[in-house]
Amino acid sequence: MNPDDPIGMLAEIAASDQTWPAMAAKYGVDNDLPPWKTSLDGLTDALDHAACTEGTLTFKERRDDEDALAATHYRNLPYPENQLMALAHSLISRGVVDEDQLRERLAVIRARLES
Amino acid sequence: MSHDHDHGHDHDRTVKPMVDEITDFEVLEIALRELCIEKGLFTAEQHRHFTEFAENIGPTPAAQLVAKAWLDPEFKALALTDPITACKEVGVDWLAPTGFGTPSDFVALKILEDTATVHHVIVCALCSCYPRPLLGNSPEWYRTPNYRRRIVRWPRQVLSEFGLQLPAGVEVRVEDSNQKHRFMVMPMRPDGTDGWSEEQLAEILTRDCLIGVALPTPGVTTNVITATRPAANPI
């Protein structure tokens, strides 16, 4: 898959109105960043740490993709939502994560968090 | 406990508001992480370690280091010649900042001393390399192609966009970080700080001063609260 190709499932998420500025305004919260941001940092660090493992993306690929995707497919999203979406896009387009598997997992996790 | 009684405090004001909604973004972050863990790329414990690192570090070690150097010429010499050892004196071990090593934070650190005629500013033109063990996570703008591309070409213009106007007689040196090298700026101690303690000096050594896009100024501290966004639900 070409890293530039759009990914429908991610486009749907990107179009949601749940970005952190919108959430913060809706609930009167003044944190600058969403609570999942440091976990995302942990995720990217852990991926970079694993970069020598076969079947993952390298640090440079991840950051280059992030720059390119944040300026194209996810240009309408604020930071760090654009960083998260770019990472998801990279992992799918480079074959690290399977799109269908991710779609199923999203439903499972949402059900778990709402239980 | 029942809350239908009359008492002297307002529950609406005793608890900070929080977002009571599960966003697709939150779910996506968890899903990606779980799938990577299941693929064997890293363990949940490793992820927790890295997240803890991201949450715990702040500007304090770097500010403390420069404040100490301003007060102690011997320590300053150490910071400039053997920064890794100097960092240990402010509690930062570059060999194991997270406790088990990080992929991109190597031990080739150089501290760049500003003088009356030379001002330093750091960047990572390639990606977003940054001295995180000392300075915490990089600010958003540091990661943008805008900053990375333009600071190396038009440093004075970019610095002026940060509100930093340097006299023509001051040379600007832009130091480009990379996968193996990290840099931090040691600004000049400003006037008006005579007799200050290390703690007082550390307060004015904000993150941006140590990147080089601002100068330390008495009265401007990391504790200054700036309005970054109008109140969402003004009371």
Side-chain angles (χ1 to χ4, degrees), chain A residues 18 26-27 38-39 67 105, chain B residues 21 24 38 47 55 148:
Chain A
Q18 290 185 310
K26 182 175 174 184
Y27 289 93
T38 49
S39 187
D67 285 346
R105 186 59 59 98
Chain B
E21 192 170 328
D24 288 343
E38 286 166 24
H47 174 264
E55 288 176 354
R148 288 153 40 200

Side-chain angles (χ1 to χ4, degrees), chain A residues 10 13 16 18-20 23-32 36 38-43 45-50 53 55-56 59-60 63 66-67 77 79 81 83-85 87-88 91 95-97 101-102 105-106 109-110 112-114, chain B residues 16-36 38-43 46-47 50-51 53-55 100-104 126-129 132 137-140 142-145 148 179 228-229 232-233:
Chain A
L10 297 182
I13 295 175
S16 90
Q18 290 185 310
T19 62
W20 186 249
M23 288 291 99
K26 182 175 174 184
Y27 289 93
V29 172
D30 56 12
N31 307 46
D32 288 332
W36 46 264
T38 49
S39 187
L40 174 63
D41 289 336
L43 172 54
D45 278 352
L47 278 170
D48 295 341
H49 191 60
T53 310
T56 186
F59 170 75
K60 187 171 185 305
R63 284 293 284 115
E66 186 183 319
D67 285 346
L77 285 174
Y79 174 87
E81 279 83 356
Q83 184 192 11
L84 172 65
M85 297 306 297
L87 177 65
L91 289 171
V96 181
V97 164
Q101 207 179 6
L102 178 60
R105 186 59 59 98
L106 289 173
I109 291 172
R110 179 164 281 284
R112 189 202 309 160
L113 297 186
E114 288 176 348
Chain B
K16 295 260 291 179
M18 59 187 290
V19 170
D20 189 18
E21 192 170 328
I22 297 159
T23 68
D24 288 343
F25 298 106
E26 179 180 357
V27 174
L28 178 61
E29 187 278 321
I30 298 170
L32 292 175
R33 177 174 12 120
E34 288 189 357
L35 291 172
C36 288
E38 286 166 24
K39 200 176 163 74
L41 297 179
F42 52 84
T43 66
Q46 283 176 321
H47 174 264
F50 279 120
T51 303
F53 173 67
E55 288 176 354
F100 60 95
T102 57
S104 58
L126 177 68
C127 46
S128 55
C129 298
R132 290 193 301 161
N137 281 338
S138 58
E140 178 191 351
Y142 185 89
R143 305 166 61 92
T144 59
R148 288 153 40 200
Q179 193 187 11
T228 54
R229 187 167 61 222
N233 289 334

Side-chain angles (χ1 to χ4, degrees), chain B residues 153-172:
Chain B
R153 286 180 170 179
W154 304 290
R156 282 178 192 278
Q157 167 67 29
V158 174
L159 290 177
S160 75
E161 290 164 15
F162 281 98
L164 178 57
Q165 313 281 352
L166 292 169
V170 176
E171 177 191 346
V172 181

